[in-house]
Amino acid sequence: MSALLELIEEARSAFAGAATPAQLEDAKARFLGKSGRVTELMKGLAALPVEEKKSRGAEINQAKQQIESLLSGRRTQLAEAELEAQLKAEALDVTLPGRARGPGGLHPVTRTIERIEAIFASMGFDVADGPEIESDWMNFTALNNPANHPARSMQDTFYVDLKDADGMPYCLRTHTSPMQVRYARAHAAQHAGAEDMPEIRVIAPGRTYRVDSDATHSPMFHQCEGLWIGEAVSFRDLKSVFTEFCKRFFETDQLELRFRPSYFPFTEPSAEIDIAFADGPLKGRWLEVAGSGQVHPTVVRNFGLDPEKYIGFAFGMGPDRLTMLRYGVNDLRQFFEGDLRFLAQFN
Ligand code: PHE
C-alpha cells in the first residue's frame, strides 16, 4: 500500500476512534491542522523538481480530499448520535396514565358560611365583608370598649407594627363586630338627611384572630356577625330570627334556644345563645353557639345614628363551632391542618 493510502487509512481509524466532537477535532488537527501530516506533506513539495511537484501535488491533494470527506462523514455520524441520545433522554412515555387533578370541593367551614349566608339572605339580610387588619378604634373603641377598659382583656389580641393617625396600633380583628360599625356608618352616611332610613339588616362572616390555641380554639377562627337596627327592633325579633336560623341550619324543629345573661361592652343587655337538641347524639346538652345583645346606645351613636330613635340587636356566632356540631367533629384544629383525608369526607 502506498504511503498516501496508509495515511488515509490511519485518518479513517483515528476519526472512527473519536467518540465525541471534541476528540474528532483533535484527530482532525493531527492530519489537516497547521502542522498536521497532510500539511507537512504539502510543505515537502517545495523541495521537488517542477515535473514531480505537479503529479505529487495532485496525489496529495486527492488524499487530502478523501481525508476531508472522511472527517465530514464522521462529524455527521457524531452529530446524529448526539441527537439520538438527546431524544432518548427526553422521551415521553405517552402510554403512562396522566396526572389529572382529582375533583375539588369546598372546605366544610366554607360550606357552613354559605349556608348561613343563604338562610339570612332569605330573611332579608345583606352580606358584608371587611378588613382583617383593623384599627383599634373599629375593633374596640367604637364598640364601647375604649383603651384601658377592663373588657379588653376578654380578647387576647395580635397587634400589628403599624399605628393609625391617633397613634393607636392596628390589630388583627378579634371579632367581626367592627363590621357592625363599618356597615352601619356607611349606611347612615348614605341616608343622611333622609326622612326615613331603611333598616340595617346585615351579616358579616369572616376570619378573626386571637392569641388562643387548643382543641376548641384556633388563633385564626371564623365569626359571623349579625346586626339589625331600626326604629322598633327588639329582643323578640332576635329570638325569632335566631331560632328560625338554627332550625334551618340544623334542619330540625327539635331544638330549643336559651338566652343566658352575659356581658359584652357593645350590647346591653347581653346574652349568650345556647341551643339544645331534643334528639340525636348531642341530645339534651346546652351548647353555646353565639353571643348577642341589644346594641349599646354608645355604639349606635358611633354608627352615626341617634340612639333615641334607633335600636336593635347584634349577634356573633362561630361558623367553626356550628360546623363541628353539624358534622360531629370534636377537634377544631382539624379544620385548619389541611389534611385531605379529613377534608375530603365533607364532599
Ligand atoms: N363579638 C363578640 C365576641 O366575639 C360576640 C358578639 C357579637 C356579642 C355581637 C354580642 C353581639 O365575643
Side-chain angles (χ1 to χ4, degrees), residues 259-307:
F259 286 72
R260 184 163 41 86
S262 186
Y263 171 79
F264 299 103
F266 31 91
T267 47
E268 182 58 41
S270 306
E272 304 291 347
I273 307 176
D274 301 335
I275 60 169
F277 296 97
D279 260 329
L282 296 167
K283 179 179 171 174
R285 273 174 52 198
W286 286 110
L287 309 158
E288 183 183 316
V289 291
S292 68
Q294 183 175 304
V295 179
H296 194 285
T298 300
V299 178
V300 175
R301 202 170 295 116
N302 287 333
F303 288 168
L305 297 173
D306 177 4

Side-chain angles (χ1 to χ4, degrees), residues 186-233:
H187 186 91
Q190 191 188 337
H191 299 281
E195 185 77 356
D196 277 316
M197 182 189 81
E199 287 190 343
I200 294 170
R201 231 178 283 173
V202 64
I203 61 163
R207 278 184 286 266
T208 46
Y209 303 84
R210 285 186 207 177
V211 185
D212 224 351
S213 186
D214 60 36
T216 53
H217 297 91
S218 150
M220 187 287 301
F221 59 105
H222 296 83
Q223 276 199 350
C224 181
E225 196 75 9
L227 179 67
W228 185 352
I229 297 284
E231 292 183 26
V233 183

